[in-house]
Amino acid sequence: MAELAGVSVRTLHHYDEIGLMRPSARTSAGYRAYSAVDVERLREVLTYRRLGFGLREIADLVDDPATDTVAHLRRLRGLLLEQRDRAAAMVTAIDTELETRAMGIRTTPEEQLKVLGTQLYDTIGSAYPATRRTEPRIAARVWDALGDARTVLNVGAGTGSYEPTDRDVTAVEPSAVMRAQRPAGAAPCVAAAAESLPFEDRSFDAAMAFSTVHHWQDPIAGLREMRRVARRVVVFTYDASSTGWLQRFWLTRDYLPEFADLLVDWPSLADLTHAIGGRAEPVLIPWDCADGFFEAHWRRPEAYLDEHVRRAVSVWTRVGPEAEQRAVNRLRDDLSSGRWAERNRDLVALDAAELGLRLLVA
């Protein structure tokens, strides 16, 4: 096993001792015996390790009950693509400097740091922070709905978008990957799931959740937990219960019908609002929305051809690479031929679109 995995026997022993990678059985002579399931886990552990994750973070990732083997593979694929892009950008930067030096030009220290230091990583960083920025017009709706709340719990907080800066915020995020991307100075973040919040009843003035409910194993249970720990609840989510909901967005209607499969058994809007005892308000998406969530580029279809834009949206990973590539190829062809423009000519005159996004308030 050590030879196949490219690690030392001592490494495997250490993983066993700390509980990260324990083999399923031992032979009568005491040797470790690895099953097919063990091999899958070891592959995940080693890949995360080679991506630079610490052993404690890896344990959180591979033991996540909400993530199966396929989900791990897709997550790893995305992380490896980001690493590839970073390496490619650094190679380009080095080639540029080699060319300038060949011409007898020496770059300044500032230029050297710009192409090989933090500024480069600001440009080619992970897809989520690069494309999922706070949209101020939607943020204003969320923050207004929080009312006079001073203490706010942000459930499924991700990297911290939409967290109000003028209030005392506590974040909850189960994903170690997302927690690691929270910026310096962000609100303190607790590793927990929405369905089991580690707080006493009415611990907060308000609880908020932004574009995360669809990731929860039990959305209704999570919403009830939010209601338990806070006197006010604000949730930004999606309505898939109205008639013809799949047809209202051209991307799901014409290119990605598999989107419907992702929302099988998704609670109705009535069930979601009932769980918090509140109401639902429609949220229109501005044509120049700064936050690159799934529907954000409804008037900018070329954005969906960008790999970085798609990698920051879970929908594309969840439908799988075959459906994704088919949708992208068809969209590219329709943009080139003018069919997309003809089919969606009415969108050009709209400044905002109603595509099923809802703000639940209680």
Side-chain angles (χ1 to χ4, degrees):
M1 177 60 72
E3 184 178 352
L4 286 172
V7 297
S8 67
V9 172
R10 182 178 180 180
T11 295
L12 293 182
H13 288 183
H14 179 60
Y15 289 170
D16 186 1
E17 290 165 2
I18 65 175
L20 181 61
M21 179 62 245
R22 286 178 172 158
S24 297
R26 286 182 179 264
T27 67
S28 57
Y31 291 107
R32 293 167 173 82
Y34 294 86
S35 69
V37 173
D38 295 337
V39 171
E40 287 184 352
R41 182 181 175 93
L42 180 59
R43 176 187 59 191
E44 293 162 7
V45 167
L46 294 177
T47 307
Y48 282 124
R49 192 77 183 101
R50 287 161 187 170
L51 282 166
F53 286 87
L55 294 181
R56 289 185 179 179
E57 285 185 310
I58 293 172
D60 289 340
L61 289 166
V62 297
D63 289 330
D64 183 359
T67 307
D68 59 15
T69 299
V70 172
H72 274 300
L73 287 173
R74 288 175 176 167
R75 178 191 286 164
L76 288 168
R77 180 179 182 273
L79 291 169
L80 287 165
L81 285 172
E82 291 171 15
Q83 189 179 72
R84 180 198 65 185
D85 292 342
R86 288 191 180 99
M90 293 188 75
V91 168
T92 300
I94 291 171
D95 287 344
T96 299
E97 181 160 353
L98 286 172
E99 291 172 4
T100 58
R101 287 180 179 247
M103 293 185 290
I105 303 172
R106 190 174 183 85
T107 56
T108 67
E110 291 81 8
E111 290 171 330
Q112 294 171 22
L113 292 176
K114 182 176 180 179
V115 297
L116 292 177
T118 57
Q119 293 186 41
L120 174 66
Y121 279 84
D122 287 342
T123 302
I124 59 168
S126 60
Y128 199 95
T131 64
R132 299 300 300 274
R133 299 181 293 274
T134 300
E135 165 50 54
R137 287 157 290 190
I138 296 178
R141 292 279 305 274
V142 174
W143 297 341
D144 183 64
L146 291 174
D148 61 355
R150 301 308 307 164
T151 57
V152 178
L153 179 69
N154 187 14
V155 181
T159 59
S161 297
Y162 299 92
E163 290 178 359
T165 57
D166 60 342
R167 314 185 195 217
D168 181 7
V169 177
T170 300
V172 168
E173 172 54 53
S175 168
V177 173
M178 299 303 285
R179 291 197 304 273
Q181 295 184 72
R182 291 178 64 82
C189 190
V190 177
E195 296 86 348
S196 182
L197 297 174
F199 306 104
E200 299 293 333
D201 294 358
R202 298 300 179 97
S203 296
F204 300 90
D205 294 334
M208 62 176 282
F210 191 93
S211 196
T212 178
V213 177
H214 55 285
H215 291 299
W216 300 353
Q217 285 190 309
D218 188 339
I220 299 299
L223 293 174
R224 288 173 177 165
E225 273 288 89
M226 292 178 67
R227 187 67 202 175
R228 178 183 66 80
V229 302
R231 61 179 178 83
R232 177 180 288 267
V233 177
V234 178
V235 179
F236 181 81
T237 188
Y238 185 78
D239 175 19
S241 57
S242 59
T243 303
W245 66 271
L246 191 65
Q247 304 300 310
R248 63 190 166 206
F249 183 26
W250 56 263
L251 184 56
T252 56
R253 180 192 67 210
D254 301 328
Y255 303 99
L256 202 66
E258 291 84 358
F259 181 68
D261 298 334
L262 304 181
L263 295 176
V264 173
D265 298 327
W266 176 249
S268 68
L269 186 63
D271 290 337
L272 295 172
T273 54
H274 180 72
I276 61 172
R279 66 185 186 278
E281 304 172 357
V283 178
L284 302 186
I285 308 171
W287 76 269
D288 56 348
C289 184
D291 189 349
F293 50 75
F294 183 57
E295 300 86 356
H297 306 287
W298 59 270
R299 216 182 85 177
R300 296 167 289 168
E302 296 83 2
Y304 294 106
L305 305 182
D306 188 332
E307 172 83 11
H308 289 89
V309 169
R310 299 198 305 276
R311 290 288 66 78
V313 178
S314 63
V315 167
W316 296 104
T317 299
R318 294 171 66 195
V319 298
E322 183 176 341
E324 176 182 1
Q325 199 56 55
R326 189 208 64 242
V328 169
N329 290 340
R330 288 182 181 176
L331 176 58
R332 182 182 291 109
D333 291 344
D334 284 356
L335 288 171
S336 298
S337 67
R339 282 191 295 269
W340 184 93
E342 175 62 24
R343 191 181 294 136
N344 300 285
R345 58 184 179 275
D346 294 340
L347 298 182
V348 178
L350 299 179
D351 291 328
E354 204 293 273
L355 296 178
L357 297 179
R358 298 290 182 266
L359 194 65
L360 312 185
V361 183

